[in-house]
DNA sequence: CAGTGTATATTAGTATGTCAATATCACTCG
DNA sequence: CGAGTGATATTGACATACTAATATACACTG
């Protein structure tokens, strides 16, 4: 096999397909390859120094997720962002996370959960002050994941990640809006309501938080109209 | 290519992969191939008269869904039924369908929805009397789908189908319990509450309905312990 | 006969070859 | 100059070939 200069993929213990998949997924989410941009199995396989098979299998996975559009005999493009996908993604995420909140407020022992939430809030406070958005969003994820984990539903979290991916695409597409203070405040409200077992407050706080992203559609469309379909 | 006697797959306008996928999926759900049973890419490709590639791609899709376990250099088996999968499946389905019910009761114009629900109730009544379980369950699906469709969320339904698949596996695994009258009654309660816009009643009726399946775990495990893991 | 090493078969992973459908573009003809 | 046309290149779908890892069977050793 042609090892070439692209040895980055030949290192660790996953299948080629996995590594190619991870690589492409990251490129799509970071917009290193842009919506509607054409992808070629042959080109990519050469660039990554692997054969067409793992590239193709990675393509198929990504098509499954709605991140690629494969058109037989025509080509493969990064799926444009679609408002319909966004709405679907948001509906599903909201359904999942509100269901998790309902579980969380009914937890007989919520000390661990509240400790975890508090931990992330402190981290977020620091990251927000230091303007470290990557770290902030990492803790943001951990905050939401903690709810699932401490409800004994850790295996639900990957599913939430799956359904919220299309929402995340929109967030990646716009310059981050320096809105970490707002998000932190919303997280505080959510955590407080959950720990007080105030279901109604927790649900409305979470709903507000999750729908905050609604403006993303318009913003992303304004900033990068070429990424959109229709 | 070896056309052979198995020309059933060569007919219509989907890709080979799609056809192979549909074929295997149906076999798994109908238990024509049983949990923990070994599947071979080579054997199946010969049996279906296609090459390994489409079979393999279908395998990968099914692994994604959690219906196959592919172990490198060892083999591929139909995933055993796992209680954890069932619970995950049920949690997600409930989250989705309760969210749909919340939308449904807030519909400004629900005449179309109520008409559709009533239609399915009538059908189910007949199918139940005639003991036609296949037709009954088809209408069962349509009943639930109608809620999504008439909320303007038709594209959510495939996602619901996706998440509820593991629940359905358990149902297929046990002799159907002649419970269609119970289900019909639950459907009536759901439809009535939705059309009256009684959110609390609709939610509790739907919850009751969706959790009815809880006994399936125990029943299926009793009836076919060899299908289970652990 | 028990235990171990080894040949062989089978597996999924990967690479490559082939093909039909489609797009592209230069070219011809009106 | 524009519309149609045909050669050519590119694409994804599918077939096949090869590899490395693992399981299995069996012969050999003690």
């Amino acid at each position: 096999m042609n090892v070439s200069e692209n040895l980055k993929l030949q290192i660790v213990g996953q299948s080629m397909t996995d590594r190619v998949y991870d690589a492409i997924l990251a490129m799509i989410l970071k917009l290193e390859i842009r919506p509607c941009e054409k992808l070629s199995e042959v080109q990519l396989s050469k660039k990554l120094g692997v054969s067409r098979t793992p590239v193709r299998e990675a393509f198929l996975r990504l098509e499954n997720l709605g991140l690629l559009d494969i058109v037989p005999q025509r080509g493969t493009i990064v799926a444009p962002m679609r408002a319909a996908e966004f709405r679907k993604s948001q509906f599903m995420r909201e359904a999942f996370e509100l269901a998790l909140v309902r579980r969380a407020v009914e937890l007989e022992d919520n000390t661990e959960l509240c400790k975890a939430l508090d931990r992330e809030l402190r981290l977020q406070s620091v990251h927000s002050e230091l303007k470290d958005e990557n770290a902030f969003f990492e803790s943001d994820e951990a905050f939401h994941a903690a709810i699932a984990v401490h409800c004994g539903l850790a295996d639900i979290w990957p599913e939430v990640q799956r359904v919220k991916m299309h929402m995340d695409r929109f967030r990646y597409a716009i310059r981050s809006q320096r809105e970490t203070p707002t998000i932190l405040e919303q997280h505080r409200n959510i955590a407080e309501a959950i720990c007080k077992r105030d279901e109604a407050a927790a649900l409305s706080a979470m709903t507000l938080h999750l729908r905050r992203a609604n403006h993303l559609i318009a913003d992303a469309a304004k900033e990068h109209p070429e990424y959109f379909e229709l």
Side-chain angles (χ1 to χ4, degrees), chain A residues 71-183:
Chain A
V71 185
Q73 272 58 27
R74 307 257 309 235
T76 297
I77 63 167
V78 178
M81 301 197 204
R82 297 179 237 258
E85 282 287 348
F86 181 89
R87 280 191 285 266
K88 215 171 84 176
S89 177
Q90 191 177 43
F91 176 88
M92 294 191 289
R93 180 181 185 186
E94 195 174 300
F96 282 164
E97 297 221 41
L98 292 182
L100 288 170
V101 165
R102 288 189 177 88
R103 294 277 186 114
V105 296
E106 285 172 2
L107 229 49
E108 63 297 353
D109 176 12
N110 66 7
T111 55
E112 283 302 313
L113 170 59
C114 293
K115 207 185 296 178
L117 295 180
D118 184 61
R119 180 189 124 86
E120 298 305 331
L121 288 176
R122 287 164 192 269
L123 285 174
Q124 285 165 32
S125 177
V126 175
H127 295 321
S128 180
E129 282 167 24
L130 298 179
K131 314 275 187 212
D132 185 346
E133 295 202 336
N134 286 340
F136 184 91
F137 284 124
E138 199 179 317
S139 169
D140 187 340
E141 288 274 315
F143 179 88
H144 287 269
I147 300 174
V149 170
H150 289 87
C151 288
L153 290 164
D155 54 356
I156 291 296
W157 187 245
E159 303 288 340
V160 179
Q161 287 184 298
R162 180 187 153 82
V163 303
K164 80 191 191 68
M165 178 169 17
H166 285 280
M167 283 182 73
D168 290 337
R169 278 190 90 192
F170 283 81
R171 184 161 69 195
Y172 279 112
I174 61 171
R175 302 183 228 303
S176 47
Q177 298 286 9
R178 209 55 62 198
E179 56 186 354
T180 55
T182 310
I183 296 173

Side-chain angles (χ1 to χ4, degrees), chain A residues 1 5 14-15 22 30 46 93 109 120 132 142 219 221:
Chain A
M1 194 188 64
E5 68 286 351
Q14 319 168 28
S15 72
D22 289 342
K30 291 188 206 157
K46 275 191 249 180
R93 180 181 185 186
D109 176 12
E120 298 305 331
D132 185 346
D219 287 2

Side-chain angles (χ1 to χ4, degrees), chain A residues 2-17:
Chain A
N2 175 19
V3 179
S4 80
E5 68 286 351
N6 298 75
L7 48 162
K8 39 184 170 173
L9 290 185
Q10 333 282 341
I11 306 167
V12 285
Q14 319 168 28
S15 72
M16 281 297 176
T17 299

